[in-house]
Amino acid sequence: MTVPATRQDLMIVNMGPHHPSMHGVLRLIVTLDGEDVIDCEPILGYLHRGMEKIAENRTIIQYLPYVTRWDYLATMFTEAITVNGPEQLGNIQIPKRASYIRVIMLELSRIASHLLWLGPFMADIGAQTPFFYIFRERELIYDLFEAATGMRMMHNYFRIGGVAADLPYGWIDKCLDFCDYFLTGIVEYEKLITQNPIFLERVERVGIISGEEAINWGLSGPMLRASGIEWDLRKVDNYECYNEFDWEVQWQKEGDSLARYLVRISEMKESIKIIQQALEGIPGGPYENLEVRRFDKVKDSEWNDFEYRFISKKPSPTFELAKQELYVRVEAPKGELGIFLIGDNSVFPWRWKIRPPGFINLQILPQLVKRMKLADIMTILGSIDIIMGEVDR
């Protein structure tokens, strides 16, 4: 009887770009020795659409519908950063009510994003049930978005100097009801997942990042906070009106996939706290800065008449960007989302550089998966939380 020869050479495997758990069109070229990962090379660019170049020949208001296509699960944040830049360049003040509405929308968007991270992450490591559960709550958030903005995913809601439309009648009560319901939902997730021995077996001590490594790699968001560093731009930069609410930065010190899961679960609870405070304290007044929108060019146009002023979402007057440069950032669900903006005294930006959190957090993947098992790649990649729309731009 001939014994089959055991081959010693390494095997190179393609994971993606259409592997069901690749979260988009990411391709990994993985070098394996049996089940052990020797090397891993991510290949990007399958979803590149030239978003930075498109910005250079659009006015800000024309560009707003494009930006929701970067991170298409946390669309409010991409809109926020797109209007925050020109607002800071032009030193435009935002009415208090508009700022509160923005905070409410941003935090709802954060919850929606974390939910759609949680479901597929659990499905990747073999738990199907949470994947169906998260869509219940997420659907309710999208109903709230649809009532306020007219759209479920790509809202086109933020404007320079405020928001496009005020909250409709009864929206605040509906949102408060959602907050009460969602807190019971989180308890259900924690019962189902957090102490589950199979889940813990898959995520504990997998993909460990120390605090020093996290800083050196430029990680941000839950990836950074799970490594023991309390850094949250909502506290650091105090943008919008986050400093008026009572909430805590959520962090863990272990730095593994479990810590990243715990940070995101706790962040959803904190978001609910912020939303409830904002809904209860929301002031009256205008929802946009009407001084900015004075149409100087046409003084007595019939479009400025009373009957026409309240028809629909208002268009923005063309807004000139001053000749200077600026970096603005917000704390998106995945990390620090930033824009480096160079104005040129024209209505188009001269340069519009996007700093996506997912792209920079993804850099550490090859280092994390080396010397791990093949099955751990999905756990680690899932815990990083990437969206290829913003990685490739």
Side-chain angles (χ1 to χ4, degrees):
M1 183 179 126
T2 55
V3 181
T6 314
R7 291 176 56 185
Q8 296 298 326
D9 49 347
L10 303 175
M11 185 161 72
I12 295 177
V13 179
N14 265 306
M15 293 187 84
H18 30 226
H19 189 283
S21 52
M22 284 323 265
H23 304 276
V25 282
L26 173 64
R27 177 180 172 208
L28 298 180
I29 298 177
V30 186
T31 309
L32 296 174
D33 178 10
E35 282 281 295
D36 298 312
V37 179
I38 303 297
D39 192 23
C40 165
E41 184 190 355
I43 309 282
L44 309 174
Y46 291 102
L47 200 56
H48 175 64
R49 296 149 297 176
M51 284 294 181
E52 294 179 358
K53 201 66 192 166
I54 290 173
E56 289 172 22
N57 49 21
R58 300 281 188 285
T59 65
I60 299 297
I61 208 69
Q62 285 174 329
Y63 188 54
L64 260 175
Y66 287 88
V67 301
T68 47
R69 273 78 177 170
W70 308 340
D71 180 354
Y72 37 81
L73 299 182
T75 45
M76 290 292 185
F77 290 88
T78 54
E79 290 184 26
I81 196 86
T82 307
V83 297
N84 282 0
E87 279 168 0
Q88 288 186 27
L89 270 184
N91 198 15
I92 294 165
Q93 300 305 312
I94 306 166
K96 202 71 175 159
R97 182 177 179 83
S99 191
Y100 269 69
I101 293 175
R102 282 184 180 185
V103 165
I104 293 165
M105 294 300 175
L106 289 173
E107 293 308 311
L108 281 172
S109 199
R110 187 184 309 278
I111 295 171
S113 173
H114 281 342
L115 282 175
L116 204 50
W117 163 79
L118 179 64
F121 174 63
M122 296 307 297
D124 286 349
I125 57 181
Q128 287 297 325
T129 318
F131 187 68
F132 301 112
Y133 279 16
I134 60 125
F135 281 103
R136 290 179 319 193
E137 281 84 16
R138 187 165 165 269
E139 206 61 27
L140 296 172
I141 295 178
Y142 279 180
D143 288 345
L144 287 169
F145 281 157
E146 189 176 9
T149 71
M151 301 245 207
R152 291 163 59 76
M153 280 186 80
M154 316 293 183
H155 315 288
N156 191 15
Y157 185 59
F158 282 43
R159 291 288 183 275
I160 295 173
V163 290
D166 207 349
L167 297 175
Y169 178 76
W171 194 91
I172 289 179
D173 297 333
K174 276 273 188 293
C175 195
L176 282 167
D177 290 346
F178 164 76
C179 292
D180 296 337
Y181 166 73
F182 186 69
L183 287 172
T184 61
I186 291 188
V187 171
E188 192 176 12
Y189 294 141
E190 289 189 304
K191 262 191 203 155
L192 195 63
I193 302 170
T194 310
Q195 296 302 323
N196 186 314
I198 305 172
F199 170 72
L200 292 176
E201 202 65 35
R202 289 296 306 269
V203 295
E204 266 190 302
R205 291 182 299 284
V206 169
I208 297 176
I209 307 172
S210 70
E212 190 184 352
E213 270 182 321
I215 292 172
N216 291 345
W217 281 91
L219 305 184
S220 56
M223 293 283 288
L224 181 65
R225 290 192 287 277
S227 299
I229 289 155
E230 292 179 71
W231 176 265
D232 190 314
L233 295 178
R234 294 173 288 176
K235 289 277 193 203
V236 176
D237 287 358
N238 282 335
Y239 61 93
E240 299 302 354
C241 50
Y242 279 106
N243 51 350
E244 296 178 20
F245 306 122
D246 172 35
W247 60 282
E248 300 299 322
V249 175
Q250 296 302 315
W251 61 288
Q252 298 282 331
K253 54 183 183 296
E254 288 77 24
D256 57 2
S257 298
L258 176 63
R260 295 193 272 280
Y261 156 82
L262 292 170
V263 165
R264 289 187 178 103
I265 287 281
S266 326
E267 270 189 15
M268 290 199 274
K269 291 185 197 162
E270 290 301 309
S271 290
I272 290 287
K273 259 168 65 176
I274 295 173
I275 293 168
Q276 284 174 328
Q277 291 171 58
L279 288 168
E280 278 153 19
I282 191 166
Y287 59 90
E288 57 168 359
N289 191 338
L290 287 167
E291 285 71 36
V292 184
R293 296 159 184 277
R294 241 357 135 234
F295 287 96
D296 293 329
K297 307 209 170 41
V298 265
K299 278 282 184 278
D300 301 317
S301 145
E302 63 169 76
W303 292 103
N304 284 352
D305 280 1
F306 188 79
E307 297 87 61
Y308 285 107
R309 271 180 45 206
F310 300 103
I311 287 182
S312 68
K313 292 184 176 181
K314 292 187 179 58
S316 210
T318 46
F319 177 85
E320 285 197 356
L321 299 168
K323 194 178 174 77
Q324 48 182 309
E325 54 187 61
L326 175 73
Y327 177 71
V328 277
R329 54 188 187 175
V330 294
E331 182 69 43
K334 293 162 183 62
E336 176 182 325
L337 171 64
I339 296 289
F340 178 67
L341 171 66
I342 302 182
D344 197 22
N345 287 336
S346 105
V347 291
F348 304 140
W350 188 82
R351 178 76 170 99
W352 184 275
K353 169 80 180 79
I354 306 164
R355 186 249 190 240
F359 175 64
I360 290 167
N361 291 347
L362 187 62
Q363 294 181 108
I364 199 171
L365 179 71
Q367 182 189 318
L368 287 183
V369 298
K370 275 177 194 159
R371 296 177 302 284
M372 303 299 276
K373 297 289 183 202
L374 176 64
D376 292 330
I377 293 184
M378 294 301 57
T379 308
I380 293 170
L381 181 68
S383 75
I384 291 177
D385 187 16
I386 55 158
I387 288 294
M388 291 312 289
E390 69 166 9
V391 173
D392 288 339
R393 303 188 293 302

